[in-house]
Amino acid sequence: MTLITEQNHSWVNGSPWQSQRQLTVHNPTNEEPIATVSIADNEAAAQALNAAQTCFDTLKQRPAQQRAEVLMRWYQLILDNEAVLAELMTKEQGKPLREAKAEVKYAAGFVQWFAEEARRAYGEVIPSHSSSHQLTTIKQPVGVVLGITPWNFPLAMITRKVAPAYAAGCPFILKPSEETPLSAIALVKLALQAGFEDGAFQVLVTDDAEALVAPLLASPVVRKLTFTGSTLVGKKLLAHSADTVKRASMELGGNAPFIVFSSADVEEAVAGLMVAKFRNGGQTCVAANRVFVHQDRQEAFTDALIEAVDKLVVGDGLESDTDIGPLINAKAKDKAQHLIEDALAQGAQRVYQGAAGAGHFMAPTILLDVTEKMDIYHQEIFAPVVSMIVFDDEQGVIRQANAVHEGLAAYFYSQDVSQIHRVAMALEYGMVGINEGAISNPVAPFGGVKQSGLGREGAKEGLQEFLETKYLCQKFLE
Ligand code: SIN
């Protein structure tokens, strides 16, 4: 099957959606058009809702074993198409091919995990309050789900939501990012090939998210919203879901501290930061956003970091030696440049700036002496820019690390066992990397506290987000 051609479609009820209006997808490396996609209008959304509602009746009756088998086939098809999916991702998103291949495996990993978890949606028998009653709980699918996914991980952010929904028995309507709809379309084609029912996974591509999403959020048919994106948009979506009291999972923005304590192994800490900061060119919600370095280690750490960053090659993701591709669009680059300029104007020092071509490419940059007054301290940088702060005491740095609205990921490097325990307990974050910069994994619960979100994805928790608990109180017959 050809996954993507020059002209592609939104997918409604197992069929391509025909429309006069087309969205053109561009390659962020050179801004050249790659392909077009038919835009889903409100009629498409209404038909998708009907198809999902009808499908729910079938899906919820289907034994978990069968849903697991369909997911296993989807998993295998994704892996079988690794080369095509990775190249497509690099073309529409810009990330280096090596990272795109890793993402295909990461995305497939969620499908495999939830294929296995599909058969483990256990209820409970509750020790009863009376000898004449049996109290049990059973797990049932939430119902029709609306998912809204970002461009930074065009495959994995979709499978992380669709696979647990299907495992639980929930039909899924997806609005992918308009920057990267092609990966979503490739995924839906593979899902249908694997045996997904027509209404079980539908993809609505649009360039006007608000107009498409508003009626879906207003509909009582949609019982659950799952979103990955900015905190600002997440708050609006939550407000719009309030009227129909939808279940919601929110993977929102981060502002990750990365703390290098005086006992840290500097070489390890630099290696960890290279992943935590530069994966996907810094365009991840879990990217190290504020790098706190103990004053005793600052010189050694900065020198080693500059040496490592200086080796990074910025360029076309399709070239084999590329480490960092372009930023997703001009707006992203303008924002990162503003953050650097604001920091420099307020006293930060630029201790390193690499090389990058024109267009959306951004030179890796290291800033020292960043302070809380600067925008870069508070906003997600989403670019290959390291923002460093020097500290001298543990309590102070924990206070600083926690004194933000976000609470997604945090990292720290220390070889002091007591300190590791204290700091791990004290950080107000949903995920903490301890002497480790790569924490994401399908088997682990991904998610944040405070304004970084609601709920968890992946792991056993990920399935529960799509299940309701029903309590049964049964009085024995005389
Ligand atoms: C994200 O940036 O939203 C996800 C990153 C990950 O899964 O590691």
Side-chain angles (χ1 to χ4, degrees), residues 13 49 87 97 142 173 190 221 246 250 253 258 265 296 301 382 391 399 451 455 475:
N13 201 11
L49 263 186
E87 189 178 323
L97 201 51
V142 169
I173 299 173
L190 294 175
V221 171
K246 295 190 198 314
M250 296 271 140
F258 185 105
D265 176 327
D296 294 349
F301 183 83
F382 251 61
F391 73 93
R399 246 193 327 274
Q451 294 187 24
K475 186 170 181 190

Side-chain angles (χ1 to χ4, degrees), residues 106 150 152-153 157 160 228 279 283-286 382 440 446:
Y106 182 43
N152 60 345
F153 289 88
M157 296 305 99
R160 188 149 92 177
T228 297
R279 173 173 168 238
Q283 301 173 111
T284 78
C285 302
V286 290
F382 251 61
S440 305
F446 189 102

Side-chain angles (χ1 to χ4, degrees), residues 271-341:
L273 183 62
M274 293 306 288
V275 181
K277 177 77 250 182
F278 293 101
R279 173 173 168 238
N280 202 10
Q283 301 173 111
T284 78
C285 302
V286 290
N289 217 50
R290 293 169 296 151
V291 180
F292 296 95
V293 186
H294 191 274
Q295 61 186 14
D296 294 349
R297 304 307 240 161
Q298 187 257 312
E299 212 175 301
F301 183 83
T302 309
D303 289 350
L305 182 64
I306 290 175
E307 200 182 319
V309 176
D310 197 42
K311 295 194 180 103
L312 293 174
V313 176
V314 181
D316 182 344
L318 291 177
E319 302 290 336
S320 61
D321 61 343
T322 295
D323 298 303
I324 298 185
L327 294 187
I328 189 70
N329 53 33
K331 200 168 145 207
K333 187 169 168 184
D334 287 349
K335 177 188 161 188
Q337 272 169 342
H338 156 78
L339 292 176
I340 294 174
E341 278 154 26

Side-chain angles (χ1 to χ4, degrees), residues 319-450:
E319 302 290 336
S320 61
D321 61 343
T322 295
D323 298 303
I324 298 185
L327 294 187
I328 189 70
N329 53 33
K331 200 168 145 207
K333 187 169 168 184
D334 287 349
K335 177 188 161 188
Q337 272 169 342
H338 156 78
L339 292 176
I340 294 174
E341 278 154 26
D342 173 71
L344 293 175
Q346 299 202 63
Q349 297 177 55
R350 181 165 28 207
V351 292
Y352 176 82
Q353 183 171 27
H360 303 160
F361 293 103
M362 174 107 200
T365 301
I366 304 175
L367 300 178
L368 187 59
D369 294 336
V370 165
T371 71
E372 292 169 24
K373 288 185 302 195
M374 303 170 187
D375 287 347
I376 201 164
Y377 190 96
H378 300 281
Q379 293 185 25
E380 271 189 304
I381 304 171
F382 251 61
V385 181
V386 178
S387 140
M388 281 204 310
I389 302 122
V390 179
F391 73 93
D392 60 8
D393 88 297
E394 183 185 301
Q395 286 311 310
V397 78
I398 291 173
R399 246 193 327 274
Q400 274 187 292
N402 287 341
V404 290
H405 294 306
E406 300 81 8
L408 189 58
Y411 309 84
F412 69 92
Y413 277 70
S414 166
Q415 292 193 316
D416 172 340
V417 177
S418 306
Q419 181 174 57
I420 288 176
H421 179 73
R422 282 193 306 273
V423 178
M425 293 300 116
L427 286 171
E428 295 166 1
Y429 286 82
M431 300 176 282
V432 181
I434 305 168
N435 294 318
E436 178 57 65
I439 55 173
S440 305
N441 192 307
V443 305
F446 189 102
V449 299
K450 300 202 277 185

